[in-house]
Amino acid sequence: MSITYLDSNATTQTAPEVLEAMRPFLADLYGNPSSMHTFGGQVHRRIEEARSQVARLINADPAEIIFTSCGTESDNTALMTAVETNPRKKHIITTRVEHPAVLNFCHHLGRKGFRITYLPVGGNGEIDPDLLLKSVDDETTLVSVMYANNETGVIFPIEEIAGRLADRGIMFHTDAVQAVGKIPVNVRDTSIDMLSLSGHKIHAPKGIGALYVRKGRRFHSYIIGGHQEHGRRAGTENVASIIGFGKAAELALTTLEEEKTSVSRLRDRLEQGLLASCPDARVNGDTAHRLPNTTNISFEYIEGEAILLRLDEYGICASSGSACSSGSLEPSHVLRAMGIPYTAVHGSIRFSLSRYTTEQEIDRVIGLMPGIVKELRELSPFGRDGVTGPKQK
Ligand code: PLP
């Protein structure tokens, strides 16, 4: 059975060009980039090329890019930098809709005595920059707001927020894991201090990330040991993945504008097709400020998990807004923060496309979904009015 992959915010297919670029570094070019010999030195040079490729994608200087093991490590490192470089200040501002890589680290810091402000979002998942500014006080050391949300695709006004925080002695970090490579991200001439990236969201392999740290900003190493990454992140480099990340960044930069149009056209076709054919369906999040590849749709009164299982039978991959934990369904913290009704949160599905998504795949999903939704509604334990209990036949 062929796979229809509409889960690109979870991870992406490694691009063939990326695999090709990586291959020599998994075979013949195995030298350690820190070695004195020429064999290792050539690997070192290729890592620096990859650094330049990643830097170009966000218009940074190569010296501002630190390779990490993933987006999560980049986020954790950014938060720890603020904590360690300014130990007297103990207040952090973030949002209620961050990825767990930021949110759970903030919970951890909260347990260690930090005061964390979790900003609310509106019904469309948007944040209020004025409210954010009002939350700043003399104790604030860091503001961390994601560039774009992984569940809804909603894009936040990051440059505006960073600009308004400038010169207040507060670090500004953004988790741009979902934004980079999908929309233009340009750190030059902004007041963004740190920005997280992850390779596997842009067709590089899993297990490689990067953190942009603005020149002149204080930095604290999270992984301590050898002198790799110019002394900022210890550990022998994941060479092949770094090379792959560089290639993926180069590809993303050259295709970004074209893909923004082609991918959003397919996303809109899917969204409109599903809204037209499935009753009681609604889009979650601000559709005017959204990643081109993402749509989050609630099919009310049914479980998203059940939809996923039915789609899975046809080889269609997507994600739901509730995750199974300890035997019960944990509703999405993002959709809950947006005040989406319980019956809609549980029936939400995220479809996320990529450059490899085809019109045939989209039309196949549009063709199958109405039947799946109808069938599951018949079986749904939720009444149409949202009151739980077995539905009367
Ligand atoms: N931040 C966001 C917004 C994400 O969507 C993800 C992954 O889903 C991460 C961070 C974590 O990245 P990684 O999987 O590379 O650790």
Side-chain angles (χ1 to χ4, degrees):
M1 183 169 49
S2 70
I3 293 295
T4 295
Y5 191 75
L6 299 178
D7 203 12
S8 296
N9 286 7
T11 196
T12 56
Q13 174 191 338
T14 305
E17 299 91 331
V18 167
L19 264 180
E20 214 41 56
M22 292 172 66
R23 209 180 298 277
F25 298 88
L26 293 165
D28 303 332
L29 297 177
Y30 55 82
N32 188 321
S34 300
S35 295
M36 288 297 287
H37 42 71
T38 314
F39 186 56
Q42 62 184 324
V43 176
H44 174 78
R45 277 196 300 283
R46 291 302 305 279
I47 287 183
E48 293 315 307
E49 271 175 45
R51 198 185 306 285
S52 300
Q53 288 167 315
V54 171
R56 269 197 292 278
L57 181 56
I58 58 169
N59 201 14
D61 190 288
E64 296 174 316
I65 300 294
I66 303 168
F67 286 115
T68 64
S69 67
C70 57
T72 301
E73 185 191 321
S74 302
D75 285 342
N76 284 202
T77 305
L79 292 165
M80 275 313 275
T81 284
V83 165
E84 295 276 357
T85 57
N86 213 343
R88 281 179 303 109
K89 291 188 170 186
K90 297 239 180 270
H91 178 223
I92 290 172
I93 300 174
T94 188
T95 77
R96 287 191 193 160
V97 296
E98 298 297 311
H99 186 272
V102 168
L103 218 45
N104 284 341
F105 204 86
C106 284
H107 297 337
H108 167 73
L109 292 174
R111 287 190 292 273
K112 297 225 169 270
F114 279 78
R115 188 161 50 86
I116 317 283
T117 299
Y118 298 98
L119 289 172
V121 294
N124 280 327
E126 74 284 10
I127 58 168
D128 176 356
D130 291 331
L131 184 63
L132 189 154
L133 267 290
K134 271 188 217 143
S135 310
V136 169
D137 59 35
D138 292 344
E139 283 258 283
T140 311
T141 177
L142 174 80
V143 173
S144 180
V145 177
M146 69 199 323
Y147 213 113
N149 186 267
N150 44 302
E151 292 192 29
T152 59
V154 170
I155 299 168
F156 292 138
I158 290 307
E159 288 188 24
E160 181 200 334
I161 297 169
R164 289 176 68 181
L165 285 168
D167 306 323
R168 297 186 63 165
I170 299 166
M171 281 195 159
F172 181 74
H173 165 248
T174 181
D175 174 345
V177 163
Q178 292 292 349
V180 167
K182 295 175 188 160
I183 54 170
V185 173
N186 183 345
V187 292
R188 185 92 37 150
D189 303 326
T190 71
S191 302
I192 298 169
D193 294 312
M194 294 179 283
L195 179 146
S196 302
L197 307 90
S198 175
H200 73 109
K201 311 294 184 180
I202 64 161
H203 304 289
K206 294 152 200 52
I208 182 70
L211 180 66
Y212 157 83
V213 181
R214 185 174 213 72
K215 234 183 239 161
R217 291 293 176 273
R218 284 190 293 169
F219 177 74
H220 177 83
S221 298
Y222 191 48
I223 309 267
I224 294 167
H227 289 100
Q228 292 88 356
E229 293 300 291
H230 307 282
R232 294 181 295 180
R233 198 275 184 183
T236 301
E237 296 87 340
N238 181 356
V239 175
S241 294
I242 289 176
I243 304 299
F245 194 7
K247 185 69 191 174
E250 182 190 276
L251 284 173
L253 188 60
T254 47
T255 57
L256 194 134
E257 282 306 325
E258 186 192 318
E259 270 176 30
K260 245 177 44 187
T261 313
S262 58
V263 172
S264 65
R265 189 183 64 78
L266 288 179
R267 187 271 315 271
D268 294 346
R269 183 182 179 92
L270 175 67
E271 193 170 273
Q272 284 152 20
L274 294 180
L275 292 183
S277 60
C278 302
D280 293 315
R282 54 179 272 183
V283 175
N284 298 313
D286 180 359
T287 53
H289 302 100
R290 198 169 46 150
L291 293 174
N293 78 320
T294 309
T295 179
N296 188 309
I297 304 180
S298 282
F299 301 90
E300 291 210 62
Y301 317 119
I302 32 181
E303 294 288 1
E305 303 276 302
I307 300 175
L308 286 189
L309 289 175
R310 293 290 285 116
L311 288 175
D312 194 46
E313 288 169 18
Y314 295 100
I316 298 166
C317 308
S319 279
S320 79
S322 44
C324 198
S325 87
S326 337
S328 68
L329 285 176
E330 194 63 45
S332 148
H333 69 283
V334 175
L335 300 185
R336 269 190 358 218
M338 289 161 64
I340 309 283
Y342 200 71
T343 49
V345 172
H346 275 300
S348 70
I349 299 287
R350 177 190 70 188
F351 297 100
S352 46
L353 288 60
S354 81
R355 71 172 71 124
Y356 300 118
T357 308
T358 65
E359 194 165 299
Q360 288 75 7
E361 289 176 316
I362 293 301
D363 289 348
R364 187 162 168 252
V365 177
I366 296 173
L368 287 167
M369 274 297 283
I372 294 175
V373 167
K374 184 168 181 297
E375 176 200 322
L376 292 174
R377 284 233 171 93
E378 313 260 323
L379 302 169
S380 171
F382 300 112
R384 265 177 90 88
D385 58 357
V387 178
T388 53
K391 201 177 157 194
Q392 299 300 311
K393 281 237 162 171

